[in-house]
Amino acid sequence: MIRIGFVTCVQLGLSCMEAIHEAGGKLSFAMTLEDNQAVNKSGRIYLDEFCDRYGIPVLKSRHVNNQNVIDAIKEHELDWLFIIGWSQIASEQVLDAPKRGVLGMHPTLLPIGRGRAAIPWAILKGLNKTGVTLFKLDTGVDTGPIVDQIEIPISSTTDAQDLYQLVEAAHVELMRKTVPALLADELELREQDHSLATEWLGRRPEDGEINLDGSVYDAERLVRAVTRPYPGAYAVLDGVKYVIWRAEIIDPEDGEFGLRFFDGWLKALEYDVLR
């Protein structure tokens, strides 16, 4: 019998845990943060109810690399461990603790887009598709062998909120697809083509400032890329900060707030004023 463990502290991870059970699997172990950690983290959830329902032993620890976590993985004789929706980087000791390894997901079509801020960058770069990759973790950054991928199309109107939801759905779909092969111990891995790899850097809230001397098309794309659940695109006019959540390129209309660029007018459809 293949024994599977899971590490998460957010809704996306819990949705994947549910998908494992819906696909006929059963978790033998779960690990999450202490109850008082990351209480303000977006999407933070608690695993107690789910684990109680299915009789899953759950360990709460402040860090995935703590010795008690490593000991628990070995004690439960896990074959595979999933780490999904988790910001702490797993140590080599954690990666080596399960018999067959650790699996994770990344919201790009690896080896494209290794790194961070995958959803905003996919829109900012004007890609016509992105996706989610299930892969085996190694000591590199998103460099491990691939289990499977799902492509997600991106249109000229896709924003971060749309893409975030599609990425979450793809995580669950990948989990359901993978569980039968995982349980049959028939999981196939293929190495990434490292010659095609690209790395996307992390983004900061200040990277959302709109360049008023730039193109209206770049500004509109920025608004879509960093709208909710991200901090938003903004412009500072006469000392007032405007955070723009939705916008469209139109001809100027009297009485409507927007931003003028050399090549067009960006009408703000939804925005906040911060004084």
Side-chain angles (χ1 to χ4, degrees), residues 118-132:
I119 289 175
W121 278 125
I123 296 172
L124 286 169
K125 291 177 180 292
L127 302 184
N128 60 14
K129 69 177 180 180
T130 185
V132 175

Side-chain angles (χ1 to χ4, degrees), residues 236-248:
V236 179
L237 305 173
D238 299 324
V240 178
K241 183 176 181 179
Y242 297 85
V243 180
I244 303 176
W245 302 108
R246 291 194 305 121
E248 65 177 349

Side-chain angles (χ1 to χ4, degrees), residues 34 38 43 56 72 86 98 109 128 151 157-158 165 216 221 227 230 252:
E34 297 278 4
I56 303 166
W86 194 264
L109 296 171
N128 60 14
E151 290 189 1
T157 60
T158 300
Q165 292 172 350
V216 68
R221 189 178 294 122
T227 191
Y230 300 103

Side-chain angles (χ1 to χ4, degrees), residues 2-275:
I2 298 297
R3 297 179 62 82
I4 307 168
F6 211 104
V7 174
T8 195
C9 64
V10 297
Q11 181 58 51
L12 173 60
L14 180 56
S15 296
C16 289
M17 293 172 70
E18 291 169 342
I20 290 174
H21 281 254
E22 290 166 2
K26 185 183 188 312
L27 291 170
S28 300
F29 168 76
M31 181 254 167
T32 191
L33 293 174
E34 297 278 4
D35 287 349
N36 63 354
Q37 276 184 273
V39 292
N40 296 320
K41 180 180 176 67
S42 177
R44 170 73 204 272
I45 50 87
Y46 300 88
L47 303 183
D48 304 73
E49 181 182 344
F50 179 87
C51 291
D52 285 346
R53 189 193 322 157
Y54 290 103
I56 303 166
V58 58
L59 172 66
K60 298 180 181 182
S61 184
R62 301 196 71 81
H63 204 290
V64 71
N65 295 331
N66 285 349
Q67 189 61 47
N68 65 334
V69 179
I70 296 169
D71 292 342
I73 294 170
K74 294 178 179 178
E75 177 187 341
H76 288 282
E77 300 181 327
L78 299 182
D79 294 290
W80 291 103
L81 177 69
F82 283 97
I83 300 181
I84 294 176
W86 194 264
S87 58
Q88 299 167 350
I89 297 174
S91 66
E92 190 170 358
Q93 288 79 8
V94 170
L95 299 181
D96 290 341
K99 297 174 186 176
R100 288 164 172 78
V102 178
L103 298 171
M105 294 209 205
H106 186 70
T108 72
L109 296 171
L110 292 174
I112 304 300
R114 294 173 178 172
R116 304 181 65 188
I119 289 175
W121 278 125
I123 296 172
L124 286 169
K125 291 177 180 292
L127 302 184
N128 60 14
K129 69 177 180 180
T130 185
V132 175
T133 301
L134 173 62
F135 69 110
K136 183 180 179 182
L137 274 61
D138 60 16
T139 55
V141 178
D142 304 324
T143 56
I146 292 170
V147 176
D148 200 358
Q149 296 179 312
I150 289 180
E151 290 189 1
I152 299 172
I154 302 175
S155 75
S156 61
T157 60
T158 300
D159 66 17
Q161 200 164 36
D162 299 329
L163 191 49
Y164 196 91
Q165 292 172 350
L166 291 170
V167 162
E168 288 202 347
H171 275 72
V172 173
E173 183 180 347
L174 264 177
M175 195 64 69
R176 288 176 177 153
K177 284 179 62 180
T178 303
V179 166
L182 196 71
L183 297 178
D185 201 17
E186 296 174 351
L187 208 62
E188 295 183 2
L189 303 173
R190 59 179 174 86
E191 292 297 322
Q192 295 187 37
D193 185 345
H194 301 294
S195 68
L196 300 177
T198 60
E199 184 175 349
W200 296 349
L201 301 178
R203 293 181 58 82
R204 304 163 298 173
E206 51 265 38
D207 294 327
E209 183 170 9
I210 295 169
N211 179 10
L212 298 176
D213 295 323
S215 168
V216 68
Y217 298 98
D218 291 339
E220 187 272 341
R221 189 178 294 122
L222 179 61
V223 171
R224 287 191 288 112
V226 298
T227 191
R228 299 181 181 93
Y230 300 103
Y234 68 93
V236 179
L237 305 173
D238 299 324
V240 178
K241 183 176 181 179
Y242 297 85
V243 180
I244 303 176
W245 302 108
R246 291 194 305 121
E248 65 177 349
I249 300 171
I250 62 166
D251 294 329
E253 296 182 18
D254 292 338
E256 296 190 10
F257 174 68
L259 302 173
R260 184 182 298 280
F261 298 83
F262 73 89
D263 57 351
W265 177 267
L266 189 67
K267 176 185 175 182
L269 301 174
E270 182 183 347
Y271 63 95
D272 291 327
V273 181
L274 306 179
R275 299 184 182 276

